[in-house]
Amino acid sequence: MEPRGIHHVGVAVADLDGAVSTYERLFGASLERRDTLPEQGVEAAAMRLGGGRVELLAALGEDTPVGRFLSKRGPGMHHLALEVGDLPAALHDVAAAGGELIDPAPRKGLYGMQVAFVHPESTDGVLVELVSRG
């Protein structure tokens, strides 16, 4: 698997509007896109910072992945997203190399992308999201 690069860093937040405002005010970030995925229990805001992106994530409820993360750890870095060209092939390569997949197949992600997660036990404690534009 050869990632194209870091697509974004995901940050879990308690107050999405407040976090958007903070990133705009402190770092000059601009809101690129905001979307909700009820099936994943998350509302997200993609913030552009120069050539990079931070994805701010707010839970739609306590019993969602981000809701449980916030309850256990509080706000902070949630995941690192790597962009790949061929997501099914990347998942195959990660699994063949001994990585533990949370998602054995791609699923719909935010902004119309396909996504899949690699378990943090395989990546030194960091939840890794693989993303593909299609």
Side-chain angles (χ1 to χ4, degrees):
M1 182 193 86
E2 249 185 77
R4 293 180 175 172
I6 295 173
H7 184 267
H8 66 267
V9 173
V11 177
V13 301
D15 173 8
L16 190 57
D17 291 329
V20 166
S21 176
T22 295
Y23 275 75
E24 289 171 336
R25 179 174 43 82
L26 294 182
F27 308 117
S30 61
L31 178 63
E32 178 181 38
R33 188 163 181 175
R34 192 166 172 158
D35 207 350
T36 302
L37 280 181
E39 63 274 12
Q40 291 184 25
V42 69
E43 182 178 7
M47 304 298 295
R48 291 299 299 203
L49 292 137
R53 180 182 290 113
V54 173
E55 185 178 84
L56 304 172
L57 304 163
L60 295 178
E62 291 181 13
D63 194 26
T64 64
V66 173
R68 289 187 295 273
F69 179 93
L70 287 166
S71 293
K72 185 175 181 181
R73 296 180 184 90
M77 184 175 157
H78 182 262
H79 66 272
L80 173 66
L82 304 176
E83 186 171 356
V84 298
D86 183 340
L87 186 51
L91 291 171
H92 176 270
D93 292 350
V94 169
E100 182 183 345
L101 302 176
I102 293 174
D103 300 304
R107 59 185 163 115
K108 179 185 173 204
L110 292 164
Y111 326 121
M113 299 187 86
Q114 294 293 303
V115 305
F117 285 90
V118 179
H119 199 284
E121 288 182 6
S122 299
T123 55
D124 295 310
V126 176
L127 178 63
V128 173
E129 179 183 26
L130 302 177
V131 303
S132 177
R133 297 190 190 278

